[in-house]
Amino acid sequence: MATTGTSSMHAGEPDVEIIDSIAALRAWRQRAREQQKDVGFVPTMGALHEGHLDLVRESLRGNQLTVVSIFVNPAQFAPHEDLATYPRTLESDLRLLRGLSVNVPRTPTTDTETRKPSAVFIPPVKDMYPSGITTNVAEQRGAFVQVKGLEEEMEGKSRPGFFRGVATVVLKLFNAVEPTNAYFGQKDIQQGLLLRRLTSDLLLSHPAPENLHIVPTHRDSTSGLALSSRNMYLTETERTWAPTLWRALQAGKKKWEEIMQAETDPNSTTIVKGARDRVVNAATEVIQTAVGESEKEGVSIRPDYIQLNWTDTFEVIGDVDKKEVLSEGTRGVILSGALWVGRTRLIDNIILGHPKVVKQIIS
């Protein structure tokens, strides 16, 4: 049942309604449907930071009502990963959401309306996994979702089964919330693109594929470090080395741009041999330098991967045809990486390609 609170659909000053069951959420959604109000949705695992709040602001700007879910999903953690210690900060999360608002112009008048999050969905595990759940995939029972050919690449190589858990829980949340629009962060670019494919392949209407939005990564204004809930694991000294991955990706991007801007003999092919290796090597050099320097301060840095992948298939790119990545209507390239700083695993990415293609991806 829903706990005490005033729904955003009620008269007067709205407060965030706390909903802790599927039944209560469906009743809330039915009221929204009857009032013909569109619903934005931001799924999270809690431990909210400004990156999450950016997603909520985007939803508030684009929808009359906004639902934020907080659910630490057991199915996307392997038995050796940090499910038990994953940060849980519900009281702080609710305080942040209650204090969040945006002013949106009213049409056709020049007035504005203030929008705040309408509801926070905090389901128990038993509601999300009626057949029970364990982090051991071999022992799991019930219905699960896989996006074959996509979930095994990039992050999937380092974290087998991760995207099976992500796809399953997000589809459940989509079925429960039935959002008009949904919002995800670019930091987890593979997740966002994989979920777009899921909505397309399974013919979802709430949200439709074009209404699954990927919002640019929120970064520390000084260091460029991508905000992440796992950043709170970093010690003060480790935090000074955490931006290493972002600097490495920037070096890779610079090399990519040099390759793409290089003059091409009009009588020769536009194929650039070894482009991937040159970009990856440029990024890796930055990390290797940091590894040696960080050791002097007692900080361990260990790269997991630096890679270039196509945005549509997640396959590793080989040689590059400039026509394929510099023309409108073509596909983009993901320059991504994962880096261990101490015991904390950080991920980040940059989308490369024609500006219009990048805009279609990050929208």
Side-chain angles (χ1 to χ4, degrees):
M1 59 182 289
T3 58
T4 302
T6 303
S7 168
S8 299
M9 291 179 288
H10 296 168
E13 182 66 23
D15 190 17
V16 179
E17 182 171 349
I18 308 302
I19 301 175
D20 58 12
S21 74
I22 298 292
L25 178 64
R26 286 181 170 152
W28 182 94
R29 188 63 179 89
Q30 180 58 31
R31 295 197 302 272
R33 186 177 295 108
E34 290 169 354
Q35 296 180 25
Q36 299 183 334
K37 293 186 175 182
D38 49 21
V39 173
F41 177 45
V42 180
T44 82
M45 294 208 301
L48 302 185
H49 50 68
E50 276 299 320
H52 294 113
L53 300 186
D54 276 353
L55 302 181
V56 179
R57 292 184 187 101
E58 283 295 313
S59 179
L60 293 173
R61 281 189 281 266
N63 304 274
Q64 295 161 296
L65 303 176
T66 289
V67 178
V68 179
S69 67
I70 297 176
F71 180 69
V72 181
N73 176 34
Q76 66 193 65
F77 290 81
H80 66 280
E81 292 183 323
D82 59 344
L83 174 60
T85 59
Y86 190 86
R88 291 164 170 82
T89 58
L90 181 58
E91 185 176 337
S92 171
D93 294 344
L94 294 177
R95 185 167 57 250
L96 287 172
L97 291 172
R98 287 181 172 125
L100 192 64
S101 66
V102 300
N103 293 323
V104 181
R106 297 179 187 270
T107 55
T109 70
T110 58
D111 297 338
T112 62
E113 66 171 303
T114 299
R115 291 180 182 172
K116 303 182 70 172
S118 310
V120 182
F121 180 43
I122 312 173
V125 173
K126 63 180 178 61
D127 269 23
M128 297 303 294
Y129 293 98
S131 299
I133 187 65
T134 169
T135 57
N136 188 334
V137 172
E139 297 176 359
Q140 290 175 356
R141 299 292 181 267
F144 291 83
V145 181
Q146 291 183 272
V147 185
K148 300 295 290 182
L150 298 184
E151 66 179 43
E152 303 88 354
E153 302 293 339
M154 295 173 62
E155 277 288 285
K157 289 183 177 180
S158 296
R159 304 182 68 186
F162 171 72
F163 287 112
R164 177 178 183 268
V166 169
T168 298
V169 78
V170 172
L171 181 59
K172 288 170 180 274
L173 290 167
F174 283 169
N175 286 338
V177 177
E178 298 183 53
T180 314
N181 294 279
Y183 300 83
F184 296 83
Q186 181 188 343
K187 182 179 71 69
D188 301 294
I189 186 65
Q190 185 177 6
Q191 170 181 271
L193 293 175
L194 180 144
L195 292 172
R196 272 189 187 159
R197 176 65 67 86
L198 179 147
T199 62
S200 176
D201 286 356
L202 297 185
L203 310 182
L204 266 65
S205 60
H206 292 78
E210 63 272 18
N211 291 333
L212 193 154
H213 307 280
I214 300 175
V215 178
T217 301
H218 190 111
R219 301 186 178 280
D220 182 274
S221 60
T222 302
S223 68
L225 176 66
L227 298 195
S228 169
S229 299
R230 286 187 168 93
N231 288 356
M232 65 177 61
Y233 295 157
L234 296 166
T235 67
E236 184 176 350
T237 306
E238 288 171 347
R239 186 173 288 272
T240 65
W241 292 98
T244 297
L245 178 57
W246 177 238
R247 290 195 292 267
L249 295 179
Q250 290 285 352
K253 177 185 177 183
K254 181 179 179 181
K255 179 59 66 175
W256 170 271
E257 292 172 346
E258 290 174 359
I259 293 171
M260 292 299 108
Q261 292 170 5
E263 292 294 332
T264 301
D265 184 342
N267 297 318
S268 68
T269 177
T270 62
I271 300 294
V272 180
K273 297 290 185 181
R276 171 200 163 275
D277 291 341
R278 291 160 63 184
V279 170
V280 170
N281 288 343
T284 301
E285 286 177 8
V286 173
I287 294 176
Q288 289 175 339
T289 299
V291 167
E293 294 178 351
S294 65
E295 287 177 350
K296 300 173 185 177
E297 298 184 19
V299 175
S300 170
I301 292 179
R302 177 167 55 89
D304 187 341
Y305 67 86
I306 297 288
Q307 196 55 274
L308 279 175
N309 303 77
W310 294 113
T311 55
D312 54 350
T313 65
F314 299 156
E315 294 176 339
V316 176
I317 75 170
D319 301 330
V320 176
D321 184 344
K322 289 188 178 182
K323 292 180 180 178
E324 191 172 9
V325 295
L326 296 181
S327 303
E328 293 184 38
T330 57
R331 54 185 177 168
V333 172
I334 306 169
L335 170 59
S336 67
L339 181 73
W340 289 93
V341 179
R343 297 182 178 181
T344 306
R345 186 174 183 273
L346 306 175
I347 62 173
D348 209 339
N349 66 83
I350 297 174
I351 307 299
L352 307 170
H354 192 282
K356 288 191 175 181
V357 175
V358 175
K359 189 174 181 179
Q360 289 172 356
I361 295 168
I362 309 300
S363 61

